[in-house]
Amino acid sequence: METGNRPIGIFDSGVGGLTVAHAIRQTLPGEQIIYFGDTAHLPYGDKSEEAIRGYSKRIAEFLLGYDAKVVLIACNSASASAYENLLAEYSNKALILDVINPVVEYVAARHFERLGVIGTKRTISSGTYEKKLHEAAPGTVLSSLATPLLVPMIEEGFIFDDISNAIIRTYLSDTRLQKINALILGCTHYPIIRNQISKFFNFNVEVIDSARIVAARLRETLERHNMVNRGEAGEDLFFISDYTEYFEKIARMFFESSINLQKADIWS
Ligand code: DGL
């Protein structure tokens, strides 16, 4: 595997993974990012495992076409469905990272007694967090809850208002989430409502968002493989598979600065 100034490839079902891209931009300012949001197939949370595997494979090839040194799956639904497949197929070409393993390792090291995780239907029904946490921290009790309305709610800009407060309250009042010490945000859209969630729990529950944990893991991994870019970084590129001005507008909210989205029609 070549080192040097190859870019970091990141993908998600849409623009939610830009929360992870933003954390990486801050943690690794000297790296070039190539981002792909599969807006033509959004949301992944309702798709089958088989469909998500097919999308993820094609997107990984698109990113490898830019000679990405890393393919980072910045989507929990795709991490739960396709990480092992991408690892088996492409780890001779690039480092393959997901958003679930780093978070599981992080919480395992913190020895929480009772944890909750919220995510899309695909992520929760896959049981990936349970399986991995059971291996890494067998004593931890994990309660999982699918919260499928949160992605469309965030994408429609319902944040810090009555509608979002009502939806968040309805989901998080679930008895399964009582008495938890920490809550994993198992979806890369959710950091946008992290403060609202913390407020619901009166700031008594630690709310764990994967973006910073994943960015820190990526830095460690690049350092370990001696793959940090020491030269000039190319310009970041942001692709989506279906373009609307609306995506451009909400992408700013996720990346916390203005970005230029280009359409890459990899499905025709
Ligand atoms: N951001 C994706 C995730 O982390 C969810 C969005 C979707 O359902 O496509 O799972």
Side-chain angles (χ1 to χ4, degrees):
M1 218 185 285
E2 300 265 317
T3 58
N5 61 352
R6 295 162 62 198
I8 292 171
I10 304 174
F11 78 91
D12 177 44
S13 57
V15 288
L18 287 170
T19 56
V20 179
H22 175 251
I24 290 171
R25 173 51 46 254
Q26 299 204 306
T27 308
L28 290 158
E31 300 290 337
Q32 179 191 14
I33 290 173
I34 311 277
Y35 184 89
F36 186 89
D38 192 10
T39 48
H41 294 124
L42 178 86
Y44 276 9
D46 298 341
K47 302 286 185 305
S48 68
E49 195 171 68
E50 198 186 5
I52 296 173
R53 282 187 185 154
Y55 302 150
S56 300
K57 185 169 160 10
R58 175 69 190 92
I59 296 166
E61 280 164 11
F62 173 80
L63 296 171
L64 292 169
Y66 278 88
D67 201 21
K69 62 185 171 188
V70 173
V71 173
L72 169 61
I73 312 170
C75 171
N76 285 261
S77 310
S79 295
S81 305
Y83 172 64
E84 268 80 21
N85 300 67
L86 296 191
L87 198 62
E89 197 143 347
Y90 304 112
S91 56
N92 58 340
K93 298 198 169 92
L95 299 171
I96 311 295
L97 296 180
D98 75 330
V99 286
I100 297 182
N101 282 302
V103 171
V104 167
E105 284 163 36
Y106 174 84
V107 295
R110 302 280 310 277
H111 305 292
F112 292 108
E113 211 175 309
R114 301 183 79 88
L115 270 171
V117 60
I118 55 172
T120 65
K121 286 192 257 184
R122 166 74 14 237
T123 300
I124 298 303
S125 69
S126 74
T128 308
Y129 276 97
E130 272 94 348
K131 278 178 234 148
K132 294 195 182 226
L133 195 68
H134 184 69
E135 283 160 30
T140 305
V141 177
L142 178 70
S143 305
S144 310
L145 185 72
T147 49
L149 279 182
L150 296 183
V151 167
M153 179 194 94
I154 294 165
E155 296 247 347
E156 287 302 322
F158 290 109
I159 293 157
F160 271 113
D161 60 4
D162 293 346
I163 292 177
S164 55
N165 278 332
I167 295 174
I168 289 170
R169 188 176 57 246
T170 305
Y171 277 137
L172 302 187
S173 302
D174 192 290
T175 50
R176 279 168 284 183
L177 298 182
Q178 279 171 12
K179 298 192 186 139
I180 54 171
N181 314 113
L183 179 71
I184 299 170
L185 303 184
C187 173
T188 52
H189 279 69
Y190 300 174
I192 300 289
I193 52 167
R194 182 196 166 126
N195 291 343
Q196 246 178 303
I197 292 176
S198 296
K199 196 159 171 245
F200 169 82
F201 288 112
N202 287 322
F203 305 94
N204 289 325
V205 166
E206 186 171 333
V207 177
I208 296 166
D209 115 38
S210 56
R212 260 173 282 155
I213 297 171
V214 170
R217 163 57 61 88
L218 174 60
R219 186 174 56 195
E220 276 160 37
T221 309
L222 290 179
E223 282 167 358
R224 187 159 24 92
H225 287 85
N226 199 19
M227 288 175 87
V228 175
N229 182 26
R230 311 269 174 218
E232 222 19 44
E235 195 195 337
D236 293 342
L237 297 172
F238 298 91
F239 296 100
I240 50 175
S241 50
D242 188 26
Y243 181 88
T244 66
E245 277 175 13
Y246 186 68
F247 285 131
E248 186 100 39
K249 191 174 139 230
I250 60 166
R252 259 177 253 145
M253 171 172 84
F254 286 96
F255 198 64
E256 295 182 32
S257 59
S258 179
I259 54 178
N260 178 28
L261 292 176
Q262 306 178 49
K263 183 172 174 182
D265 188 7
I266 66 171
W267 306 114
S268 56

